[in-house]
Amino acid sequence: MSKVLWAGRLEEKPEDEAFAFQASISVDRRLALDDIRGSRAHALMLGRQGIIPAETAAALDAELERMAAELESGALEIDETAEDIHSFIEGVLTERLGDAGRTIHAGRSRNDQVALDFRLCLKRRVPEILAELAETLRVLLDRAEEHAASVMPGYTHLQRAQPVTLGHHLVAWCAGLERDYGRFEDALSRLDECPLGAGALAGSTLPLDREAVARDLGFGGPTLNSMDSVAGRDFALELASACAILMTHLSRFCEDIAIWASEEFKFVDLAEKWSTGSSIMPQKKNPDFAELIRGKAARTAGSLTTLITLLKGLPYAYNKDLQEDKEALFDSLDTVRSCLRMFRGMTGSAVFNTPRMEAACTGGFLEATDAAEYLVRRGLPFRKAHEAAALVVRDCAAAGQRTIAERSLPELKARSNLFEADIYTALTPRACVEARNLPGGPAPQEVLRQIAALRGKRGL
Ligand code: ARG
């Protein structure tokens, strides 16, 4: 087991099980390259500021660079019995360089170090999520464009409500995902401050150059306040929240898909390679990917709860509780990444049963609102128009008719004199959709405009 960093103060060390309990290497090993990056910038700054000799700084930088390459090639393995990634990196450095290695921690604490590593890691990971999100949007927008004119029922209360288009439904999904993109971008812009130099909580008496180190590491600038730097984790909370909201979206989309894939709906046929079978029922083709993505949304909601509960009531500044932050957020980010990739594969290859969708618009009186609005256009107050259309629907039901258009003009006129022969062309599902061409509506041209707007906004 490598030597702990605090061995000078305490004569005794926790027993193995207790030591392992408080260790974080199993999680923060993922920060190894970030820790090295931060350490290199810190060492070079110490050299430039005359806090350590220039040659020592150069030696530290070179050795850290070598260690990064060795970690990547597998030549250097992370010691799972180390306390955390910071101790491990400093330990190896000291083993290899002797006293030079012992100079690097000047003006630094693991408290600002871990805050830095975490932020550096997120500055790498969040753009990956953004790229996955953009690609997912691209796939969905392509599908929406393909189906801009495919008529389908829109639902409220899971009851057929009014005709829309599949393109319109898919753009509804995309609108949420596009805001998710913005949430990740926002979080990224707010975490773009470098905590190095905050030390344990109160900065340092050494002449550190916080500005330079922040710049070298690609941050917008140093953090404002040293206590906030080591205690603040709202950046993690914000990202966990962005992950949970995104997963809530995916989970709802997946619920739509699972419903559409049912025998009762049959609106979508998922590709065989994006489905699974049953071990006992030979006929089954299950939408497992949709279900699992829906299920995994629970993990991200859980991580958000973990983080917000972790921070609630935590006194300033650093407390070891904060060590729990990374596992929760890493799990959320991993979940989001894999779910976006799976969701994209599944939706990109799905075959939509457009004849069946269009047929489902007939028979449930989805045109009733259009009949009422027809009367409004002819001057009838809406409440009266609503009543007249409702009475027509009741007449149809009593006569065993499936659509308003099955009634003769005199029959319609019995409910409102304002009905004329043009009512018959106004009430087909396609006519209903085409007439809804307000901004935001389901008319094919309007759906194409919405698609173009989203593409334009995100360069898709
Ligand atoms: N493993 C710790 C964490 O993840 C690093 C900071 C430890 N600082 C300390 N004083 N024990 O938060």
Side-chain angles (χ1 to χ4, degrees):
M1 186 180 291
S2 52
K3 196 159 175 269
V4 295
L5 298 176
W6 30 269
R9 168 67 180 84
L10 306 177
E11 277 177 16
E12 287 195 302
K13 199 181 149 182
E15 294 191 358
D16 288 354
E17 185 187 351
F19 185 81
F21 172 80
Q22 62 85 51
S24 54
I25 191 84
S26 62
V27 173
D28 59 30
R29 54 175 299 142
R30 292 173 69 162
L31 300 175
L33 295 176
D34 303 298
D35 197 77
I36 290 182
R37 206 171 147 222
S39 296
R40 291 180 69 186
H42 182 67
L44 291 173
M45 181 274 292
L46 291 178
R48 282 196 309 271
Q49 296 298 101
I51 299 168
I52 62 173
E55 318 77 76
T56 306
L60 288 169
D61 184 50
E63 195 55 44
L64 284 164
E65 185 178 20
R66 189 167 310 126
M67 284 168 62
E70 289 176 19
L71 278 170
E72 285 188 293
S73 74
L76 175 61
E77 271 180 43
I78 296 175
D79 174 5
E80 280 290 336
T81 66
E83 185 180 0
D84 56 28
I85 194 64
H86 327 295
S87 332
F88 171 73
I89 302 286
E90 193 182 327
V92 175
L93 206 52
T94 305
E95 242 170 64
R96 295 185 179 183
L97 298 181
D99 275 348
R102 296 186 179 91
T103 65
I104 195 169
H105 211 52
R108 189 175 75 166
S109 155
R110 281 183 296 163
N111 297 353
D112 58 349
Q113 201 177 344
V114 76
L116 170 69
D117 295 359
F118 201 10
R119 287 178 191 239
L120 281 175
C121 165
L122 296 173
K123 275 164 66 81
R124 278 191 292 115
R125 295 287 317 272
V126 175
E128 287 170 19
I129 301 277
L130 286 172
E132 296 293 354
L133 197 41
E135 190 49 33
T136 305
L137 270 168
R138 200 192 319 271
V139 167
L140 282 181
L141 288 171
D142 285 351
R143 301 297 332 245
E145 198 165 326
E146 188 188 323
H147 289 290
S150 305
V151 174
M152 76 178 288
Y155 293 78
T156 63
H157 311 272
L158 203 50
Q159 307 287 321
R160 290 175 190 169
Q162 292 175 347
V164 294
T165 61
L166 177 56
H168 190 235
H169 195 123
L170 296 178
V171 176
W173 292 357
C174 291
L177 287 184
E178 190 279 324
R179 288 189 297 275
D180 287 322
Y181 193 97
R183 271 181 276 274
F184 280 98
E185 272 190 334
D186 284 355
L188 197 53
S189 75
R190 264 186 294 279
L191 71 78
D192 190 25
E193 291 181 340
C194 181
L196 208 59
L201 78 163
S204 173
T205 60
L206 300 170
L208 308 176
D209 187 348
R210 294 197 61 206
E211 286 282 349
V213 125
R215 207 179 330 107
D216 290 351
L217 289 170
F219 284 97
T223 47
L224 177 77
N225 174 286
S226 63
M227 288 182 66
D228 171 59
S229 309
V230 294
R233 290 292 185 276
D234 47 285
F235 63 87
L237 200 50
E238 222 175 321
L239 280 173
S241 161
C243 289
I245 296 172
L246 166 62
M247 286 302 298
T248 303
H249 282 150
L250 290 189
S251 141
R252 294 182 69 177
F253 309 163
C254 285
E255 172 65 5
D256 280 347
I257 289 172
I259 291 173
W260 293 349
S262 69
E263 193 61 26
E264 286 70 14
F265 271 73
K266 264 194 176 160
F267 281 2
V268 73
D269 192 12
L270 296 175
E272 287 195 1
K273 57 179 186 168
W274 288 103
S275 306
T276 51
S278 160
S279 60
I280 175 169
M281 296 169 283
Q283 85 285 10
K284 292 279 269 182
K285 182 178 148 207
N286 295 326
D288 277 29
F289 288 88
E291 293 165 41
L292 196 52
I293 294 169
R294 190 176 62 192
K296 281 185 186 287
R299 304 174 73 104
T300 53
S303 293
L304 174 59
T305 306
T306 297
L307 278 170
I308 205 159
T309 312
L310 185 67
L311 295 174
K312 183 205 164 296
L314 201 65
Y316 274 68
Y318 179 85
N319 298 270
K320 183 84 164 184
D321 314 42
L322 290 174
Q323 180 166 291
E324 289 290 310
D325 59 0
K326 288 170 287 300
E327 195 170 357
L329 187 56
F330 287 164
D331 188 71
S332 285
L333 294 171
D334 293 346
T335 301
V336 161
R337 182 171 185 275
S338 60
C339 287
L340 281 171
R341 297 176 64 81
M342 297 300 106
F343 180 76
R344 193 160 79 220
M346 176 180 66
T347 45
S349 57
V351 177
F352 294 100
N353 187 342
T354 50
R356 189 160 161 102
M357 285 179 164
E358 184 158 0
C361 292
T362 298
F365 300 104
L366 285 79
E367 72 278 30
T369 313
D370 298 69
E373 289 185 354
Y374 173 97
L375 297 175
V376 168
R377 279 198 297 279
R378 278 153 188 76
L380 200 62
F382 178 75
R383 195 44 61 208
K384 287 190 167 172
H386 182 280
E387 194 189 348
L391 290 171
V392 170
V393 168
R394 280 172 66 158
D395 294 342
C396 289
Q401 292 163 327
R402 296 178 68 240
T403 66
I404 291 176
E406 282 175 44
R407 301 206 59 75
S408 69
L409 194 54
E411 285 169 339
L412 292 175
K413 279 187 177 291
R415 294 305 185 184
S416 171
N417 240 327
L418 296 170
F419 282 118
E420 297 296 344
D422 59 353
I423 186 67
Y424 293 103
T425 50
L427 297 186
T428 64
R430 194 157 291 279
C432 293
V433 158
E434 269 159 17
R436 292 182 147 70
N437 57 3
L438 293 179
Q445 278 312 312
E446 171 51 24
V447 168
L448 291 175
R449 187 199 63 80
Q450 293 164 29
I451 293 169
L454 287 179
R455 287 198 200 280
K457 188 159 180 200
R458 296 297 176 191
L460 302 166

